Amino acid sequence: MGLLAVSAVLAIALSFARFPAALLLGPMLAAIAFGVGGARLLLPRPLFLAAQAIIGCLVAHSVTPEIARTIIDDGALMVAAVLVTVLAGVVVGLTLTRLQVLPGATAAWGSAPGGAAAMVAMSEAYGSDPRLVAFMQYVRVAAVVLTASLVARLLVDVSAEPASAVAQPFPLTSIVATLGIAALGTGMALVLRMPAGALVGPMLLGAALHATGIASVAVPGPLLDAAYAAIGWYVGLRFTRETLLTTLHALPGILVATGAIILLCGAWAYGLTFLLPIDFLTAFLATSPGGLDSVAIIAVGSKADVSFVLGVQTLRLFTVLLTGPILARWIARSAPDASA
């Protein structure tokens, strides 16, 4: 009840301040405080997957065939944007390894820019410390959400009411169809072992059905608010007192590494504005290193080009998942010999 109350207060305050994704940011900050404060709370994973599926449907409502045209027209630069972000993670991982702030494989998995949950699971299978990897990943996700929300708040005109894809009332048939798409898309993606399947499955299925007119995707406000809050709690509650104490010696290096990745990606985003007819907010969200669901929420809630942002973010997610094991082994081999 305390977490609910504090989350509500922070979300309302951030909403009045016109922060995009206030209902994500408020619960996340509250959950971080409660988790580090010793509250042994945990959001059940099925609820987190359900929240991701709802966000996938929200994105599907906003995605049009333009996303395919965007990938075709700007494919080379989108690939370049992905490679620069991945390279930034590699540079940071190598630096942490060379300075012996973290073990090589742990630094590599923790610095991988995307797919936090997948990186934690894969790191454990490859012999890294999943606690350190989880802490690095979720510190970065939280930092990206905070930074992206702040950038969006500064760059979006708050004198006008932002347009909302879910503000109007929806017919019951559309809501039922959306829930069906969420369940079916999630099930299919999980069976196919698709990365971030609970988000990507409903997003792809819903976008195809919505764009072709076969089904109308609609996400009612209360359901969307609950999904925002669930994702915020899931990320925030990962910051426990025990994890913080375990990683305290590496915390300065982790914070510096997180800031370095965000700055490198932000600089590349600025460069993209000279190469493509996109605004800085769109470029910043597209190159933000991690948290596809969180970035999608901010992109939809602001005036960014959702198609471009999601195109780059989705492409990077698959790239990181495919190259993660190779890069982790390479960075681990580059670590100084402890026996020397």
Side-chain angles (χ1 to χ4, degrees), residues 99-110:
L99 297 178
Q100 300 186 27
V101 176
L102 292 170
T106 299
W109 290 111

Side-chain angles (χ1 to χ4, degrees), residues 49-154:
L49 295 179
Q52 283 193 315
I54 296 302
I55 298 304
C57 291
L58 171 68
V59 173
H61 181 91
S62 303
V63 173
T64 66
E66 291 179 0
I67 190 169
R69 288 196 295 271
T70 300
I71 294 175
I72 294 172
D73 296 341
D74 303 320
L77 284 173
M78 291 177 73
V79 170
V82 169
L83 293 179
V84 168
T85 306
V86 173
L87 181 61
V90 171
V91 170
V92 170
L94 279 171
T95 302
L96 291 176
T97 301
R98 289 290 185 182
L99 297 178
Q100 300 186 27
V101 176
L102 292 170
T106 299
W109 290 111
S111 301
M119 291 300 104
V120 174
M122 292 171 70
S123 70
E124 189 169 13
Y126 282 85
S128 298
D129 187 339
R131 296 173 303 175
L132 282 172
V133 173
F135 190 73
M136 286 186 68
Q137 286 285 340
Y138 286 103
V139 163
R140 196 188 64 247
V141 170
V144 165
V145 172
L146 289 169
T147 306
S149 296
L150 181 60
V151 169
R153 170 64 179 81
L154 294 175

Side-chain angles (χ1 to χ4, degrees), residues 3-339:
L3 177 61
L4 286 171
V6 176
S7 298
V9 170
L10 290 176
I12 291 171
L14 291 169
S15 295
F16 275 115
R18 297 291 183 90
F19 269 84
L23 287 165
L24 166 76
L25 194 56
M28 186 188 73
L29 293 173
I32 290 174
F34 272 71
V36 175
R40 297 187 177 278
L41 300 174
L42 184 65
L43 185 78
R45 184 163 177 77
L47 290 181
F48 175 62
L49 295 179
Q52 283 193 315
I54 296 302
I55 298 304
C57 291
L58 171 68
V59 173
H61 181 91
S62 303
V63 173
T64 66
E66 291 179 0
I67 190 169
R69 288 196 295 271
T70 300
I71 294 175
I72 294 172
D73 296 341
D74 303 320
L77 284 173
M78 291 177 73
V79 170
V82 169
L83 293 179
V84 168
T85 306
V86 173
L87 181 61
V90 171
V91 170
V92 170
L94 279 171
T95 302
L96 291 176
T97 301
R98 289 290 185 182
L99 297 178
Q100 300 186 27
V101 176
L102 292 170
T106 299
W109 290 111
S111 301
M119 291 300 104
V120 174
M122 292 171 70
S123 70
E124 189 169 13
Y126 282 85
S128 298
D129 187 339
R131 296 173 303 175
L132 282 172
V133 173
F135 190 73
M136 286 186 68
Q137 286 285 340
Y138 286 103
V139 163
R140 196 188 64 247
V141 170
V144 165
V145 172
L146 289 169
T147 306
S149 296
L150 181 60
V151 169
R153 170 64 179 81
L154 294 175
L155 296 181
V156 171
D157 180 14
V158 298
S159 61
E161 288 292 333
S164 174
V166 294
Q168 73 271 26
F170 294 109
L172 181 59
T173 53
S174 295
I175 297 174
V176 172
T178 301
L179 294 177
I181 289 170
L184 181 60
T186 300
M188 292 173 59
L190 294 180
V191 168
L192 295 172
R193 298 183 180 276
M194 185 179 294
L199 175 73
V200 176
M203 183 180 76
L204 296 178
L205 178 62
L209 296 177
H210 186 74
T212 56
I214 297 176
S216 176
V217 176
V219 183
L223 185 61
L224 182 61
D225 294 346
Y228 282 10
I231 291 175
W233 287 329
Y234 185 83
V235 173
L237 290 174
R238 295 278 169 162
F239 295 83
T240 64
R241 181 184 298 175
E242 290 77 10
T243 306
L244 182 62
L245 291 175
T246 301
T247 58
L248 194 58
H249 70 285
L251 183 59
I254 291 174
L255 292 177
V256 171
T258 299
I261 293 178
I262 294 175
L263 286 174
L264 286 172
C265 294
W268 174 229
Y270 181 70
L272 278 179
T273 61
F274 294 96
L275 301 174
L276 288 172
I278 57 175
D279 58 278
F280 179 72
L281 177 59
T282 295
F284 187 83
L285 292 176
T287 58
S288 291
L292 174 59
D293 44 12
S294 305
V295 172
I297 291 171
I298 297 171
V300 173
S302 61
K303 296 183 179 180
D305 183 341
V306 177
S307 296
F308 186 84
V309 171
L310 294 181
V312 175
Q313 287 282 341
T314 303
L315 182 60
R316 193 192 68 235
L317 173 63
F318 283 92
T319 301
V320 168
L321 292 176
L322 289 172
T323 61
I326 299 172
L327 294 175
R329 286 195 293 268
W330 177 64
I331 292 176
R333 285 198 298 268
S334 70
D337 188 356
S339 63

